[in-house]
Amino acid sequence: MQSLNDIKSVLNESVTVDALKSFIVTCESDERAGVRKLIDTAKKRIDSIEKELARLKEMRKFENENRQFGLLCGIDEVGRGPLAGPVYAAAVILPEDVDILYINDSKKLSEKKREELYSEIMEKAVAVGIGHASEKRIDEINILQATFEAMTMAVSELSVNPGALLIDAVHIPQLEEYKQISIIKGDAKSASIAAASIIAKVTRDRVMKKYAEEYPEYGFDSNKGYGSKEHIDAIKKYGPCPIHRRSFIGNFI
């Protein structure tokens, strides 16, 4: 007879619905109280996964409605609001039948979960492109136009050509050759856009953490360039550093 620890290890290794159901069948004749609790845990995990799969099905609604265009590319940006640092955009093409559990608008995820999903998206995606525009470029042409440039760069970095673009809320003038489908709050409604939001967010956060080592006074590792009180106080005390957006900080210097 297997020990409870061995059975628990099997449960922990069972990450799919089929594996969990198999675990329950294997253990259902074991009357030990500890095993019955593990079976209950397995049933709860099945329920949780099935609810998540139902949510993901809804997240693929726009993808499923537009399959006639071929490969669909989700696009999103991160960093339009910060006082410092670049704006980043990502373009992601996911396979039709892929399930990436817990994919969502990057703002709704913890940093740990974003990092986990970043790795899974990069592994499973058909193609990923990343673009950015520097703080200097933002000051030159304004944040909206810089965001369009970052998005255009992201699409240009794809290894395959998409048939249509799913975009969070905007229309990109530089990409008129593509069919563009603008979705309000798309990062919470489209799996492809959500994937792009995660890739862009993780990429930009990593860049800002490196800047934090170069300019430690401003706390970029925690605020990522956004206008927290501590960040604004640091600007007033030390003045701007090279990556501050001059067009954003006029009220503080």
Side-chain angles (χ1 to χ4, degrees), residues 84-88 115 130-135 199-215 220-221 224-225 243:
V87 60
Y88 266 81
E115 289 282 353
I130 298 172
H132 71 280
S134 71
E135 63 285 339
I199 297 298
K201 174 66 173 169
V202 171
T203 302
R204 186 180 188 278
D205 282 0
R206 290 175 179 178
V207 168
M208 294 308 295
K209 286 179 180 180
K210 289 182 179 179
Y211 278 132
E213 297 174 3
E214 193 170 353
Y215 309 109
F220 292 143
D221 54 335
K224 308 302 187 294
I243 69 162

Side-chain angles (χ1 to χ4, degrees), residues 36-47:
R36 307 318 297 176
K37 288 182 179 179
L38 292 176
I39 290 173
D40 288 342
T41 298
K43 289 178 179 178
K44 289 177 182 177
R45 289 183 185 176
I46 289 172
D47 183 58

